[in-house]
């Protein structure tokens, strides 16, 4: 008993595409300077021993930038891989499982990386 | 539902290869490759936090031929995804969407990827030998 318009309203968008699109761009913009800094920093660390590397991570600026880099990377990775899965995996259960796994793994890797940076920076290792 | 039972639109092998589609596929492929590279970054950091033995494991792996090959692939992927990502961001503002700009931008991305990868490895190797 609903009008054609009433039935169509709300069917088009899942109401979350804009958020996904927008965060993919924001993390992309953040990653431009962060990855360039990281590449230059890594070249500077070529041939460095563990102590040199730990001293570098312990300095405030590298530590902060590494944490920001890890957040931006794994946010961007989870958004990007989600689109890949949505494009190629059409079985509902497999799609749900893969996207869940991607989300959880990205979160776990980000936490692991951030913890490692912080533990080096505060000198508990 | 079996997909083969219904008419399908022409698939990839029907079309002639062109710069635009190749770069688009490469953007996705390098993105997937870089996702794996991000795990290496975490492994490197966690190993450095864990101590000398774990860190030596990362160093041995990265110094091996396989490790160097992966590093080269990841660095080229990073520069490509970075440059082409900037091209995408420009498109998102509504600029450079005409056919000529799309091709010019595409070749600029290919050139920049090559130059940046070369500069990074020359800088890295010269630091290694010095």
């Amino acid at each position: 008993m609903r009008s054609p318009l009433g039935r169509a309203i709300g069917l088009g968008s899942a109401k979350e595409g804009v958020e996904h699109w927008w965060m993919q761009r924001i993390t992309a913009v953040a990653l431009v300077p962060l990855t360039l800094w990281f590449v230059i920093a890594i070249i500077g660390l070529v041939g460095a021993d563990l102590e040199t590397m730990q001293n570098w991570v312990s300095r405030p600026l590298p530590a902060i930038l590494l944490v920001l880099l890890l957040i931006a990377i794994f946010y961007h990775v989870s958004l990007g891989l989600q689109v890949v899965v949505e494009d190629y995996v059409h079985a509902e259960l497999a799609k749900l499982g893969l996207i869940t796994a991607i989300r959880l793994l990205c979160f776990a890797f980000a936490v692991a990386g951030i913890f490692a940076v912080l533990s080096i920076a505060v000198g508990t290792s | 539902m079996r997909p083969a039972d219904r008419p399908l639109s022409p698939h990839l092998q029907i079309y002639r290869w062109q710069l635009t589609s190749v770069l688009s596929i490469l953007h996705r492929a390098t993105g997937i490759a870089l996702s794996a590279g991000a795990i290496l970054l975490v492994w490197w950091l966690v190993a450095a936090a864990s101590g000398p033995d774990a860190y030596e494991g990362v160093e041995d792996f990265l110094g091996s031929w396989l490790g160097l090959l992966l590093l080269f692939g990841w660095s080229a992927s990073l520069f490509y995804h970075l440059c082409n990502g900037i091209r995408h961001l420009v498109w998102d503002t509504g600029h450079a969407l005409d056919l000529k700009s799309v091709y010019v931008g595409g070749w600029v991305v290919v050139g920049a990827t090559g130059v940046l990868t070369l500069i990074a490895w020359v800088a890295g190797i010269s630091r290694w030998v010095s």
Side-chain angles (χ1 to χ4, degrees):
Chain A
M1 286 294 118
R2 299 169 69 196
S3 71
L5 179 63
R7 261 180 282 140
I9 283 175
L11 287 181
S13 143
K15 301 277 182 290
E16 51 187 24
V18 175
E19 168 83 2
H20 184 288
W21 189 92
W22 191 231
M23 287 317 292
Q24 194 167 37
R25 268 66 193 175
I26 288 180
T27 50
V29 168
L31 282 168
V32 172
L34 286 171
T35 48
L36 283 173
W37 162 78
F38 179 69
V39 168
I40 293 167
I42 285 296
I43 291 171
L45 282 174
V46 168
D49 57 10
L50 176 59
E51 205 188 329
T52 313
M53 184 273 191
Q54 286 174 332
N55 286 338
W56 173 74
V57 176
S58 303
R59 282 160 46 202
L61 192 65
I64 292 166
L65 291 178
L66 276 174
V67 171
L68 291 175
L69 178 73
L70 285 161
I71 293 171
I73 282 179
F74 283 105
Y75 202 149
H76 197 76
V77 165
S78 85
L79 294 173
L81 289 184
Q82 181 187 342
V83 179
V84 174
V85 169
E86 285 169 349
D87 280 354
Y88 304 129
V89 182
H90 303 302
E92 205 55 46
L93 201 63
K95 183 163 76 178
L96 191 67
L98 278 170
I99 291 174
T100 307
I102 287 166
R103 280 285 164 97
L104 292 176
L105 282 173
C106 282
F107 201 80
F109 277 116
V111 167
I114 292 166
F115 173 80
V117 170
L118 295 181
S119 95
I120 295 169
V122 299
T124 54
S125 61
Chain B
M1 182 185 67
R2 282 172 300 165
D5 289 350
R6 58 186 166 77
L8 292 170
S9 52
H11 214 289
L12 277 178
Q13 68 272 21
I14 302 297
Y15 296 104
R16 181 166 52 86
W17 287 97
Q18 48 205 315
L19 183 72
T20 43
S21 57
V22 170
L23 294 188
S24 173
I25 293 165
L26 265 180
H27 196 70
R28 177 159 284 190
T30 51
I32 295 169
L34 288 168
S35 305
I39 297 174
L40 174 84
L41 168 63
V42 172
W43 182 36
W44 178 62
L45 291 169
V46 169
S50 302
D53 290 343
Y55 197 70
E56 207 181 296
V58 182
E59 281 184 321
D60 287 348
F61 173 70
L62 291 180
S64 70
W65 278 108
L66 177 66
L68 286 170
L69 192 69
L70 284 172
L71 275 182
F72 184 81
W74 277 322
S75 63
S77 297
L78 178 71
F79 288 127
Y80 175 77
H81 203 84
L82 180 68
C83 294
N84 202 48
I86 293 171
R87 182 165 167 247
H88 268 282
L89 288 172
V90 172
W91 285 337
D92 290 339
T93 67
H95 293 86
L97 285 164
D98 60 293
L99 202 57
K100 185 167 182 285
S101 304
V102 166
Y103 271 86
V104 170
W107 285 116
V108 168
V109 164
V110 171
T113 302
V115 169
L116 287 170
T117 308
L118 191 71
I119 290 175
W121 281 84
V122 167
I125 290 169
S126 62
R127 205 179 157 81
W128 178 255
V129 294
S130 67

